[in-house]
């Protein structure tokens, strides 16, 4: 009971709780990132691959006729 009282009712306990939570989520993020990299390895870009932000055919021409005047 003293530990719970210290954890939630003192400034040092609350700081320890917050830092512990940050550390816990940092560890979870690192583990999940490593698992994701192991599953989806980097590979050469093939013609079938698409990218949301890298469009080589961007000419500045809009599909909307009102924009092209």
């Amino acid at each position: 009971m003293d530990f719970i009282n210290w954890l939630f009712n003192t400034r040092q306990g609350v700081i320890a709780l917050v830092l512990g939570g940050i550390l816990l989520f940092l560890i979870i993020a690192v583990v999940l990132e490593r698992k994701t990299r192991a599953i989806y390895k980097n590979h050469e870009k093939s013609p079938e691959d698409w990218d949301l932000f890298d469009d080589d055919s961007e000419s500045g021409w809009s599909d909307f006729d009102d924009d092209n005047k």
Side-chain angles (χ1 to χ4, degrees), residues 15-29:
I15 291 172
L17 189 63
V18 170
L19 292 178
I22 291 171
L23 186 62
L24 175 70
F25 281 104
L26 180 66
I27 292 170
I28 291 171

Side-chain angles (χ1 to χ4, degrees), residues 38-55:
I39 293 172
Y40 303 106
K41 296 184 182 349
N42 290 339
H43 61 277
E44 295 287 329
K45 190 172 183 179
S46 67
E48 293 93 30
D49 290 343
W50 61 274
D51 192 359
L52 184 62
F53 299 108
D54 187 27
D55 188 15

Side-chain angles (χ1 to χ4, degrees), residues 4-68:
I4 293 174
N5 189 25
W6 174 82
L7 189 62
F8 292 106
N9 292 330
T10 63
R11 180 172 288 179
Q12 294 87 2
V14 172
I15 291 172
L17 189 63
V18 170
L19 292 178
I22 291 171
L23 186 62
L24 175 70
F25 281 104
L26 180 66
I27 292 170
I28 291 171
V30 168
V31 169
L32 290 177
E33 178 67 24
R34 288 183 184 219
K35 284 185 178 183
T36 302
R37 285 182 186 225
I39 293 172
Y40 303 106
K41 296 184 182 349
N42 290 339
H43 61 277
E44 295 287 329
K45 190 172 183 179
S46 67
E48 293 93 30
D49 290 343
W50 61 274
D51 192 359
L52 184 62
F53 299 108
D54 187 27
D55 188 15
D56 294 336
S57 65
E58 187 175 326
S59 64
W61 190 258
S62 175
D63 290 335
F64 300 103
D65 291 333
D66 293 340
D67 293 339
N68 297 323

